[in-house]
Amino acid sequence: MVVLIGGCGGGEPSSTTDGDFTPRYEPPANAKRGGALRVLGSGDVDSLDPGSLQNQFAVMVSFATQRTLISPTPNPGPGMIPDLADGPPEVDRARGTVDFQIRDDVRFAPPVSRRIGADDFKYAFERGLLPGVANGYLRTYLGTLRGFGKAVRQARSDTTNAPDISGLEVVARDRLRLRFKGKVPPLAVESLSLPFGAPVPREYAEKFDAEIPSTYGQHVVSSGPYMVPNDADGNLTGYSPGSEIELVRNPTWDSHSDFRPALLDSIRIESGYTNTGAASKRILTGQSEINGDFAPEPVVLKDAATEFPEQLMMVPAGAVLYAAMNTTVEP
């Protein structure tokens, strides 16, 4: 479980043990628009590059800054909804094809600022095979795409240019087809909601992807409601590794094209709060602050549940972490 403690400030704390700590999936009727939120975290994201990020904190940031063809439904329970796709995909499992029609009203954030198209998704998947990006999910979910094996070999021989996966076909500027060997594999479509499915502008990113590791994460372009501030050359000015990430409104984002309410004007993520007890107290007694990635101590949870029940939610993690062990060697 991920525990979120949010500081809303104002008023006297109430003493009760009957709080409702279940997650909320929709804003309340009186939700305010605007303002800034401060997120306190003990650690940092491993990357801002949607093609290579791994940890859960990074996925949370990616969900605010990147959009994918499809997305998990915002309501509890399983299911997918179109995001950058203009409707559900056309899936022919027998023929092994999946077709996406892409919305024509979504643009990248500055400095790219152009309309997003099918080739941006093709490049996003293909760059994941480069050693500088080294995405760990592509082979698992999309490894039976036509031409995948050839593309892997191509990426090994040329580490500076994204290979061509022939099974990723740009049928038209706004239409992408995935063609598999045999039937469409389980979870192939659903996997496109993962961060590696976010569009990446080829003409902008390929110079960064030619490096090992890729430096695209230091120049990443947003497709979602928020972006990390950058300069005219795309250098991120709002990210200090290990310290803070600033998220501001993406000026090209249109609320009518997105299911995310994105009510905030800005979000400031601060890292380094290793004293989680002090950080939790600051959140509970402060204002407009929330827990980012740490597990509060039991005494903090007790105080929150009894004294600040309106500021505590127990949220499913939405992730599974694995630890590999060599069972032939004794502990």
Side-chain angles (χ1 to χ4, degrees), residues 125-126 128-130 135-156 163-168 179-181 196:
F125 302 144
E126 291 172 339
L129 297 181
L130 288 171
N135 184 272
Y137 304 114
L138 283 170
R139 184 182 294 273
T140 300
Y141 296 112
L142 304 178
T144 60
L145 280 169
R146 293 179 182 270
F148 192 91
K150 181 179 180 180
V152 170
R153 294 189 294 272
Q154 183 182 344
R156 289 174 181 165
D164 174 58
I165 301 176
S166 60
L168 295 172
R179 190 181 295 276
F180 294 89
K181 293 179 290 186
F196 77 79

Side-chain angles (χ1 to χ4, degrees), residues 195-232:
F196 77 79
V200 176
R202 183 189 301 268
E203 76 282 4
Y204 172 82
E206 55 188 357
K207 61 179 178 292
F208 305 120
D209 291 340
E211 303 181 52
I212 302 178
S214 169
T215 57
Y216 179 65
Q218 301 164 30
H219 307 82
V220 65
V221 176
S222 171
S223 54
Y226 300 100
M227 61 176 283
V228 181
N230 54 29
D231 60 22

Side-chain angles (χ1 to χ4, degrees), residues 62-279:
S62 178
F63 189 72
T65 58
Q66 303 294 337
R67 298 177 66 177
T68 49
L69 288 167
I70 57 174
S71 178
T73 173
N75 299 313
M80 293 283 168
I81 60 173
D83 191 352
L84 289 178
D86 191 13
E90 300 171 16
V91 181
D92 190 329
R93 297 196 177 275
R95 295 181 57 194
T97 60
V98 180
D99 281 64
F100 284 96
Q101 186 70 30
I102 299 167
R103 300 183 65 110
D104 62 2
D105 56 352
V106 181
R107 306 173 71 87
F108 283 114
V112 177
S113 301
R114 65 160 173 80
R115 178 180 152 194
I116 295 172
D119 186 65
D120 300 312
F121 295 98
K122 177 177 170 65
Y123 181 73
F125 302 144
E126 291 172 339
R127 68 186 291 270
L129 297 181
L130 288 171
V133 181
N135 184 272
Y137 304 114
L138 283 170
R139 184 182 294 273
T140 300
Y141 296 112
L142 304 178
T144 60
L145 280 169
R146 293 179 182 270
F148 192 91
K150 181 179 180 180
V152 170
R153 294 189 294 272
Q154 183 182 344
R156 289 174 181 165
S157 62
D158 182 358
T159 61
T160 62
N161 294 290
D164 174 58
I165 301 176
S166 60
L168 295 172
E169 303 175 4
V170 178
V171 180
R173 190 192 186 288
D174 57 357
R175 191 168 183 85
L176 179 71
R177 175 173 296 152
L178 284 69
R179 190 181 295 276
F180 294 89
K181 293 179 290 186
K183 296 182 179 180
V184 177
L187 299 181
V189 174
E190 290 83 352
S191 74
L192 303 183
S193 66
L194 294 172
F196 77 79
V200 176
R202 183 189 301 268
E203 76 282 4
Y204 172 82
E206 55 188 357
K207 61 179 178 292
F208 305 120
D209 291 340
E211 303 181 52
I212 302 178
S214 169
T215 57
Y216 179 65
Q218 301 164 30
H219 307 82
V220 65
V221 176
S222 171
S223 54
Y226 300 100
M227 61 176 283
V228 181
N230 54 29
D231 60 22
D233 296 322
N235 300 301
L236 299 187
T237 59
Y239 178 39
S240 299
S243 178
E244 64 182 24
I245 305 174
E246 181 185 4
L247 302 181
V248 297
R249 180 74 68 191
N250 173 3
T252 67
W253 181 73
D254 182 356
S255 62
H256 297 96
S257 73
D258 202 337
F259 66 90
R260 300 163 182 79
L263 299 175
L264 295 162
D265 288 333
S266 63
I267 303 169
R268 184 185 182 91
I269 302 171
E270 300 177 358
S271 302
Y273 287 89
T274 55
N275 186 338
T276 59

